Every structure is written in structure tokens, then in C-alpha cells.
Amino acid sequence: MNTTHEVAQERDGRRPGWPELGVAVLTAAVLYLAGSVIALRLPADSPVSPGQANFLVSGLAPLGAFAAAVLVRIRDVGSFGMRRVHPGWLLMGVAAGLAFFGLSWPISALFDPFFPGSESVQQSYRDAAGAGVLSLVVTIVLGGVLTPLGEEALFRGVIANFLFRWGSWVGVLVSATVFALAHGLNAVMPLAFAVGLGAGLLLRFSGSLWPGVVVHTVYNSAGILYHGITGG
């Protein structure tokens, strides 16, 4: 029996292949590197904080890679999962995002001892969230909306859809692993894997990228709000 995703792929006619994957990875590497260099060279009096700059790079770089992949051959975002979906799947994404946010404390407590010294990895994001109301709003837009959209477009839209040709679990698990490793070998990695796993499953069974974007948006936004309100 075909899943919703397989039916949608058959309807759209094509799925991302090696050319799309290669172009996406190369473009992402260039854009991440260029963006990181620019972010590091921001002047001390820049209105954009380091955390906000990093979120901007985290959103725009994968979006650029996704756009490059779409333009290679297929030129149809529906084949990458950007298609309409029943609202029930979006509500499931909200619930999953909140669940992952709640699980972030026990997951961190379990895995943080394996990554000593990585407590400061997220500090620039916490600083951006806690620097006043305007900074908090900008940080939510960049980190809670733009970054999830970009990362889901690349890691699920291109990479997971490419991997689904070898089976559902290959696509879900490997794309979640790549997503986790892209966050670095630090305490964030297990949380990124969990979110990637949830987003991948929703993509596979809904046939759409949007429920995973909702998961990611809710999770990131909740974390930013928490740090903005508590200052911790």
C-alpha cells in the first residue's frame, strides 16, 4: 500500500535525485560559510545581534540551497513536499512541537554529560531573546519562523525526499541524523535529532513539508520565548 507521500510523489511525477542533492549540498556549504564569515565580521555596534545574525544565516542558507535544487531540473516545489495538507496534520505538528519542547529538559539532562563544555553553544541565541521586547520579536521571526522554514526545506524537502527512494525509515532516520550532525557535536545534537525525526515522520505520512515546518516553528519559538521571558 502506498503512503500519502508516495501517492503525492506519483502525482507530481518526480522526486529529488542526485543532481538536486549535489547542487543543494554544494550551495548550502557555500552559503553557510559565507554567511558565517559575514556574521563574525559584524561590528560591535551593529543593530543585528550575533544570535540574530546566526539565525538569519540558518534560514537563508538552506533556503538558497533549496531554491538551487528546485531549479536544477524539476522546477516544481510540490515534488519537494511544498504542497497543501489537511489542517489536522498542522495541528499534529503543533502538538509534536510542544511535546518536543517539553522533552527538551529530560533529553538535555540525559545527554548533556556526554558533551562537556558545550553549554555556551546556544548563548548568543539566549542573549538575543533576552535583550528586550523588540529583540525578542525579531529573534522569534528569524529563529522561530525563517530558520525552521529554511532547514525543513533543505533537510526534509531535498534530503529526506531524496532518501525515501530507499524506504521510509532510511529517509526519516538518515535525514534526522544529517540534520543533527549539522548542528555540531554538542548538546544540541540529540534535540535536533528528535525534532528531525518528528518532522520526517510527518512528511512521510502527510505527504507535505508543512507539518514538519510547524513542528520546528513551535519548538524553536517556544524555546526563544522561554529564554526571553526567564532570561535563562
Side-chain angles (χ1 to χ4, degrees), residues 12-61:
D12 293 332
R14 305 184 78 176
R15 73 168 81 231
W18 287 105
E20 286 76 24
L21 180 69
V23 167
V25 170
L26 178 60
T27 305
V30 171
L31 292 179
Y32 274 121
L33 179 60
S36 297
V37 170
I38 293 172
L40 286 172
R41 295 177 65 87
L42 285 176
D45 58 349
S46 171
V48 179
S49 71
Q52 291 167 348
N54 289 333
F55 273 139
L56 191 61
V57 173
S58 296
L60 293 181

Side-chain angles (χ1 to χ4, degrees), residues 50-51 54 118-130 227 231-232:
N54 289 333
S118 64
E119 295 82 1
S120 62
V121 171
Q122 300 282 294
Q123 191 57 51
S124 66
Y125 302 127
R126 298 188 188 103
D127 292 342
H227 291 300

Side-chain angles (χ1 to χ4, degrees), residues 102-218:
L103 288 170
S104 62
W105 281 278
I107 291 175
S108 294
L110 180 63
F111 287 99
D112 280 2
F114 296 99
F115 301 98
S118 64
E119 295 82 1
S120 62
V121 171
Q122 300 282 294
Q123 191 57 51
S124 66
Y125 302 127
R126 298 188 188 103
D127 292 342
V133 175
L134 179 59
S135 181
L136 175 60
V137 171
V138 172
T139 304
I140 289 175
V141 171
L142 297 178
V145 179
L146 179 63
T147 293
L149 177 60
E151 291 184 338
E152 290 307 311
L154 175 59
F155 290 96
R156 251 62 63 183
V158 178
I159 296 176
N161 274 316
F162 167 78
L163 292 166
F164 280 145
R165 59 183 19 89
W166 291 290
S168 298
W169 286 109
V170 172
V172 171
L173 290 172
V174 175
S175 65
T177 301
V178 173
F179 178 61
L181 291 173
H183 285 75
L185 297 176
N186 53 57
V188 179
M189 188 171 64
L191 296 169
F193 178 79
V195 172
L197 193 64
L201 286 169
L202 284 171
L203 168 64
R204 189 53 174 166
F205 291 106
S206 73
S208 172
L209 198 65
W210 297 116
V213 173
V214 171
V215 172
H216 206 152
T217 295
V218 171

Side-chain angles (χ1 to χ4, degrees), residues 35-111:
S36 297
V37 170
I38 293 172
L40 286 172
R41 295 177 65 87
L42 285 176
D45 58 349
S46 171
V48 179
S49 71
Q52 291 167 348
N54 289 333
F55 273 139
L56 191 61
V57 173
S58 296
L60 293 181
L63 273 178
F66 173 80
V70 171
L71 292 172
V72 172
R73 296 181 305 168
I74 300 174
R75 302 187 181 184
D76 174 19
V77 295
S79 294
F80 294 81
M82 282 194 172
R83 56 176 70 91
R84 295 174 64 182
V85 67
H86 190 279
W89 287 107
L90 301 179
L91 291 175
M92 193 175 296
V94 172
L98 291 173
F100 285 128
F101 177 65
L103 288 170
S104 62
W105 281 278
I107 291 175
S108 294
L110 180 63
F111 287 99

